[in-house]
Amino acid sequence: MLTTEHLKQFAEDGYFVYPGCLSERAVRNLRAETDICAADREDPGLVREKDGDTVRGMHGIHLRNEMMSKLCRHPTLLALAKGVLGEDVYVHQFKLNIKAAFVGDVWEWHQDMTFYHREDEVPHPHFLTIAVLLDDVTEFNGPLLLIPGSHKEGFKDSNKHTIEAYDAESSWLSNTTAKLRYTVEHDTLRRLVHTHGLAAPKGKAGDIIVFHANVFHGSGVNMSPFDRRVAFISYNSVKNPPQPTRAQRPEFLCARNCAALQPCHDEVLM
Amino acid sequence: MLTTEHLKQFAEDGYFVYPGCLSERAVRNLRAETDICAADREDPGLVREKDGDTVRGMHGIHLRNEMMSKLCRHPTLLALAKGVLGEDVYVHQFKLNIKAAFVGDVWEWHQDMTFYHREDEVPHPHFLTIAVLLDDVTEFNGPLLLIPGSHKEGFKDSNKHTIEAYDAESSWLSNTTAKLRYTVEHDTLRRLVHTHGLAAPKGKAGDIIVFHANVFHGSGVNMSPFDRRVAFISYNSVKNPPQPTRAQRPEFLCARNCAALQPCHDEVLM
């Protein structure tokens, strides 16, 4: 389970990899469920790639899908989230990113805190995201890119863009497509990378990557014939809920229920 | 120089890496010259990225720039090209691809033969390209992706697209931007990768990669703060010149002078 080595790496690098978190059977079940979810054309939290067809990501499925809800409460995931944050947690946002073979597009460099703070008014970066790999991730299918240690420099200013095409369609879509609403100056990124370097952790299906709310990350295109399906589960401390001063984003992006989660030992994920 | 091991790898994989081909001084000189070339806003062979500003590539500079012309005749490069093809060679096309930090966009999967055969009417795949790395190439700045051994399956059908936006601007531009005029079916690529796998050779500035006209290759985006400048020099056998039945592409894409090159020992590249 969680070791002092993990905590040290989280403090130092802003992330750690935890191999073999999910069993082969759990991965198989989650992949099958992902396909079912992706086929739901009525899903309000579904975003497509620029081709207008390929599914890019699905938001908030844990609110409607039992297996995804259980994944959030997987004993190991929940123990890691609570252990690292030192608090009870709830899931602020859940997304399944597909990064489809040949088509999966980039995620620009960002800090999760930018979105959860500026859009949802989460006060502190006292949360983390667990990336659950549902496929083997290699250098070829768009691995997560991170600037290790960038979380130590805090929350950076970012530029808010109005992206007409996306905004015309939906006000939240521009936070979930290949063109992000918030971007950070290249000079800031350049300085961070020169100080801290770059990392692109790979892994097997069933491995997880735990990363800090302030760590800069992104990912490139997927030019391979292999999907790179990853569930990103953002756990927030129950002591750090949104303090909204205006209308909130839809529930599939910003949780309404901020009660402490309890582990679920269902054998479908064991 | 060229070894039987190189020839074996070229026959088997369709490419080989030749480390340390150019001296540090040569690399330094070539980088400085690349900057000078990129500043020439009148260059007819210059292509920009989608932002309309960042230089993506420059074609045919060897026709107008002395140092780039000498690079084509660098004794080692020329000996490798002639040694692999077993014939005298000329440069059919020369391009400097910048793959700029943060902005450099993809090159879709393609075979060079598609363009040189279908656009320029080069009869046979009896040519090769040498990629000269002018920057260190890592997993982060958009390395060349190859399907090793894919050249053994010959020349694949490809789909010709009319890309209105690009075509309105220029008839040749669509072969040099992130959206290629010719693309290959995903099923074909999927089958090739399942048979042959994928490779992404990295290297230091001054290393070169020699690859076959029929080997499938491409490259992803560059999300790093490090440019990935590479000169791609396509050497064709003098016995395999274009046999045009219609108007030829501009000289900066399709050579007019197909005479055998002689090595140049200028110390600027030694």
Side-chain angles (χ1 to χ4, degrees), chain B:
Chain B
M1 300 295 288
L2 188 67
T3 64
T4 52
E5 198 49 50
H6 291 134
L7 289 171
K8 195 176 152 198
Q9 207 196 332
F10 190 84
E12 194 59 34
D13 297 335
Y15 79 99
F16 63 88
V17 179
Y18 189 101
C21 180
L22 294 184
S23 69
E24 278 183 36
R25 188 171 72 152
V27 168
R28 210 161 46 237
N29 287 338
L30 285 164
R31 282 184 189 161
E33 203 72 10
T34 298
D35 289 345
I36 292 168
C37 294
D40 176 8
R41 303 267 148 171
E42 305 300 309
D43 179 359
L46 189 145
V47 180
R48 297 183 193 284
E49 297 286 3
K50 282 198 292 258
D51 66 9
D53 182 42
T54 310
V55 174
R56 173 172 169 83
M58 294 169 275
H59 298 76
I61 296 186
H62 67 310
L63 300 170
R64 296 175 291 110
N65 180 285
E66 191 57 24
M67 201 189 299
M68 298 300 167
S69 165
K70 285 173 181 164
L71 176 62
C72 299
R73 292 173 284 143
H74 186 287
T76 310
L77 268 60
L78 200 53
L80 289 171
K82 290 165 70 168
V84 171
L85 296 177
E87 304 281 358
D88 277 332
V89 297
Y90 72 95
V91 170
H92 186 74
Q93 191 184 97
F94 178 104
K95 55 175 174 275
L96 266 170
N97 284 353
I98 301 299
K99 187 81 77 177
F102 297 120
V103 179
D105 210 344
V106 303
W107 285 88
E108 294 179 355
W109 288 111
H110 66 282
Q111 296 174 296
D112 285 348
M113 182 63 181
T114 303
F115 297 88
Y116 299 150
H117 182 65
R118 293 182 64 170
E119 295 283 323
D120 300 338
E121 303 178 75
V122 169
H124 308 292
H126 202 59
F127 61 90
L128 54 78
T129 296
I130 297 186
V132 182
L133 313 190
L134 302 181
D135 291 298
D136 292 350
V137 175
T138 70
E139 64 178 311
F140 302 115
N141 61 353
L144 194 64
L145 302 176
L146 297 156
I147 305 178
S150 55
H151 67 298
K152 287 189 284 194
E153 304 202 21
F155 178 46
K156 296 289 173 196
D157 277 345
S158 56
N159 303 316
K160 185 169 184 173
H161 304 284
T162 303
I163 303 168
E164 294 76 4
Y166 293 131
D167 281 3
E169 194 178 334
S170 161
S171 60
W172 60 269
L173 202 59
S174 60
N175 293 336
T176 57
T177 57
K179 283 270 164 218
L180 291 178
R181 179 192 289 265
Y182 297 98
T183 58
V184 68
E185 296 290 347
H186 287 169
D187 279 349
T188 303
L189 290 166
R190 192 173 281 115
R191 194 182 55 70
L192 287 168
V193 171
H194 278 279
T195 306
H196 300 287
L198 284 165
K202 326 295 186 299
K204 293 281 176 195
D207 294 355
I208 65 170
I209 303 168
V210 181
F211 60 94
H212 190 285
N214 272 345
V215 83
F216 273 96
H217 62 285
S219 62
V221 296
N222 181 4
M223 290 180 65
S224 84
F226 309 108
D227 290 339
R228 192 226 63 175
R229 291 165 290 187
V230 174
F232 287 88
I233 311 176
S234 293
Y235 293 98
N236 190 17
S237 160
V238 294
K239 297 188 179 165
N240 188 39
Q243 307 289 315
T245 59
R246 55 185 193 270
Q248 285 181 280
R249 294 198 293 174
E251 190 176 7
F252 56 76
L253 293 175
C254 173
R256 299 294 186 265
N257 181 351
C258 303
L261 289 178
Q262 301 305 321
C264 164
H265 293 267
D266 193 301
E267 70 167 8
V268 73
L269 291 180
M270 291 301 120

Side-chain angles (χ1 to χ4, degrees), chain A residues 31-92:
Chain A
R31 280 184 190 162
E33 203 71 10
T34 299
D35 289 345
I36 291 168
C37 294
D40 176 8
R41 304 268 148 172
E42 304 300 309
D43 178 0
L46 189 145
V47 180
R48 297 183 194 283
E49 298 286 2
K50 282 197 294 257
D51 66 9
D53 181 44
T54 310
V55 174
R56 173 173 170 82
M58 293 170 275
H59 298 76
I61 296 187
H62 67 310
L63 300 169
R64 296 175 292 110
N65 180 286
E66 191 58 24
M67 202 191 298
M68 297 301 166
S69 165
K70 286 173 180 164
L71 177 62
C72 299
R73 292 173 284 142
H74 186 286
T76 311
L77 267 59
L78 199 53
L80 289 171
K82 290 166 71 168
V84 171
L85 296 176
E87 305 280 0
D88 277 332
V89 298
Y90 73 95
V91 170
H92 186 74

Side-chain angles (χ1 to χ4, degrees), chain A residues 2-235:
Chain A
L2 188 67
T3 64
T4 52
E5 198 50 46
H6 291 134
L7 289 171
K8 195 175 152 202
Q9 207 197 333
F10 190 83
E12 193 60 33
D13 297 335
Y15 79 98
F16 62 87
V17 179
Y18 189 100
C21 179
L22 294 184
S23 70
E24 277 182 37
R25 187 171 71 152
V27 167
R28 209 163 44 236
N29 287 337
L30 287 163
R31 280 184 190 162
E33 203 71 10
T34 299
D35 289 345
I36 291 168
C37 294
D40 176 8
R41 304 268 148 172
E42 304 300 309
D43 178 0
L46 189 145
V47 180
R48 297 183 194 283
E49 298 286 2
K50 282 197 294 257
D51 66 9
D53 181 44
T54 310
V55 174
R56 173 173 170 82
M58 293 170 275
H59 298 76
I61 296 187
H62 67 310
L63 300 169
R64 296 175 292 110
N65 180 286
E66 191 58 24
M67 202 191 298
M68 297 301 166
S69 165
K70 286 173 180 164
L71 177 62
C72 299
R73 292 173 284 142
H74 186 286
T76 311
L77 267 59
L78 199 53
L80 289 171
K82 290 166 71 168
V84 171
L85 296 176
E87 305 280 0
D88 277 332
V89 298
Y90 73 95
V91 170
H92 186 74
Q93 192 184 96
F94 177 104
K95 55 175 173 276
L96 266 170
N97 285 353
I98 302 301
K99 187 83 77 178
F102 297 119
V103 178
D105 210 343
V106 303
W107 286 88
E108 294 179 356
W109 287 111
H110 66 282
Q111 296 175 296
D112 286 348
M113 181 62 180
T114 303
F115 296 89
Y116 298 151
H117 182 65
R118 292 182 65 170
E119 295 284 323
D120 300 337
E121 303 179 75
V122 169
H124 307 292
H126 203 59
F127 61 89
L128 54 77
T129 296
I130 298 186
V132 181
L133 312 191
L134 301 182
D135 290 298
D136 293 349
V137 175
T138 69
E139 64 177 314
F140 302 115
N141 62 353
L144 195 63
L145 301 177
L146 297 155
I147 304 178
S150 56
H151 67 299
K152 287 190 284 195
E153 304 203 20
F155 179 45
K156 297 290 172 194
D157 278 344
S158 55
N159 304 315
K160 185 168 182 174
H161 303 283
T162 303
I163 303 169
E164 293 77 3
Y166 293 132
D167 281 3
E169 193 178 334
S170 161
S171 58
W172 60 269
L173 200 59
S174 60
N175 293 337
T176 55
T177 56
K179 282 273 163 216
L180 290 177
R181 179 192 289 266
Y182 297 98
T183 57
V184 68
E185 296 288 348
H186 288 169
D187 279 349
T188 304
L189 291 166
R190 193 174 279 115
R191 194 182 55 68
L192 287 168
V193 172
H194 278 280
T195 306
H196 300 288
L198 285 165
K202 326 294 186 300
K204 292 280 176 196
D207 294 356
I208 65 170
I209 304 168
V210 181
F211 60 95
H212 190 285
N214 273 344
V215 83
F216 273 96
H217 61 286
S219 62
V221 296
N222 182 3
M223 290 180 64
S224 84
F226 309 108
D227 290 340
R228 192 224 63 173
R229 290 166 291 186
V230 175
F232 287 89
I233 311 176
S234 293
Y235 293 98

